[in-house]
Amino acid sequence: MNLSSLGFFRSLRKDNHQFAVIGLGRFGRSVCSTLHKLGYEVLATDIDEKRVSAALTEQMVGHALQLDSTEPAALKEAGIFEFDTVIVAIGNYIQESIITTLNVKEGGVPHVVAKASSEVHHKLLKRVGADHVVFPEFEAGCALARTLTKPSILERFELDPDNSIVEVIVPDEFHGKTITELQLRNRYGVNLLAVSQDGKFQINPNPTKRLERGSAMVIIGCNKDINRLPI
Ligand code: ATP
């Protein structure tokens, strides 16, 4: 998530309990089953009858329909245009993905999330009106590269391109030192938000608290400063 997605997520209705998912590939199925497990009503659709039946027999969703989403009439008849949020989970069929996204937007769906499989696909989806585009392979690749090069960063939440909140393993250099002694703000320009202890985080830890090697801490700061930490 970044600031450009903020408008989209803020516009989602909190009381919305229904989602439609078009396309039952691996991505679409994972969206369906997660929403279903979380207790939301999901209508799953696919052009492939076998995938529709599998979604029902595996109890991945409550409702599933076979339809060709490039046909506006089929979408209308299935009631897709009545949904507040529709996920177009067709990554490998670019033409079908673009036409479907266009159809769903033209049908008046306020929130359309679409899956892209390339940069160009991403741009095209935006052009035809997708409100939010995800590019899971690209995002997973970036995350893996970051983890491999900085294995001590357990989690990273990018606030914007320059600033992040990171969960990091307390480095050996910090072991046994109090938060006051470490002077993280003066020396590195970062702020400590939390420190882990016995599997839980202590938020705003006491400045006299001593850090222990191997535990985790949560830091906020600009990326340049975070990179200066001995992690
Ligand atoms: P993968 O499964 O490889 O991770 P993915 O999740 O992006 O990729 P795709 O391979 O793009 O999934 O498949 C998406 C699904 O969309 C397929 O099940 C396919 O049958 C379905 N589909 C393709 N064209 C249409 C269409 N016109 N209408 C409805 N469903 C379609």
Side-chain angles (χ1 to χ4, degrees):
M1 226 271 275
N2 54 39
L3 281 184
S4 58
S5 317
L6 192 64
F8 171 74
F9 286 105
R10 281 186 57 196
S11 73
L12 291 177
R13 277 178 32 209
K14 288 195 185 73
D15 60 348
N16 176 38
H17 284 275
Q18 297 181 326
F19 295 86
V21 176
I22 302 175
L24 292 170
R26 278 176 291 192
F27 179 76
R29 290 200 303 271
S30 73
V31 174
C32 285
S33 55
T34 306
L35 285 169
H36 186 62
K37 278 185 208 141
L38 289 170
Y40 292 86
E41 257 190 65
V42 187
L43 170 62
T45 69
D46 200 287
I47 198 166
D48 182 343
E49 180 63 51
K50 281 194 202 123
R51 291 200 166 183
V52 172
S53 316
L56 288 172
T57 48
E58 289 166 25
Q59 297 184 341
M60 196 186 291
V61 285
H63 318 274
L65 283 175
Q66 186 274 335
L67 60 78
D68 179 353
S69 56
T70 61
E71 296 290 339
L75 293 169
K76 191 169 192 302
E77 198 187 327
I80 300 285
F81 299 153
E82 312 308 318
F83 281 81
D84 179 71
T85 304
V86 173
I87 298 102
V88 180
I90 308 176
N92 294 311
Y93 306 87
I94 297 191
Q95 185 171 321
E96 285 77 359
S97 147
I98 303 293
I99 297 172
T100 300
T101 304
L102 182 70
N103 286 344
V104 177
K105 271 322 282 181
E106 286 196 336
V109 174
H111 301 106
V112 178
V113 182
K115 183 200 170 189
S117 57
S118 69
E119 288 280 351
V120 178
H121 190 186
H122 190 300
K123 274 191 198 162
L124 288 168
L125 288 167
K126 278 293 201 187
R127 282 286 171 104
V128 295
D131 300 285
H132 184 60
V133 179
V134 291
F135 190 175
E137 286 87 355
F138 176 78
E139 286 150 20
C142 294
L144 175 67
R146 278 200 293 259
T147 314
L148 293 174
T149 51
K150 278 269 183 203
S152 51
I153 299 188
L154 304 172
E155 287 281 355
R156 177 186 285 271
F157 180 79
E158 286 185 7
L159 295 166
D160 63 31
D162 298 324
N163 300 292
S164 304
I165 296 175
V166 289
E167 180 186 342
V168 297
I169 300 172
V170 170
D172 287 351
E173 287 93 323
F174 291 2
H175 177 71
K177 303 226 169 78
T178 66
I179 295 169
T180 310
E181 283 165 354
L182 285 170
Q183 295 192 56
L184 293 174
R185 204 176 303 169
N186 287 343
R187 286 168 64 203
Y188 300 100
V190 300
N191 280 305
L192 182 69
L193 300 177
V195 177
S196 76
Q197 189 168 13
D198 305 327
K200 280 195 161 185
F201 272 103
Q202 255 183 23
I203 313 297
N204 290 329
N206 194 306
T208 58
K209 179 169 178 56
R210 284 186 195 282
L211 298 190
E212 281 173 36
R213 123 177 8 101
S215 58
M217 59 185 185
V218 179
I219 301 265
I220 184 168
C222 78
N223 297 335
K224 263 193 215 151
D225 290 334
I226 290 170
N227 287 339
R228 291 195 298 122
L229 289 166
I231 53 175

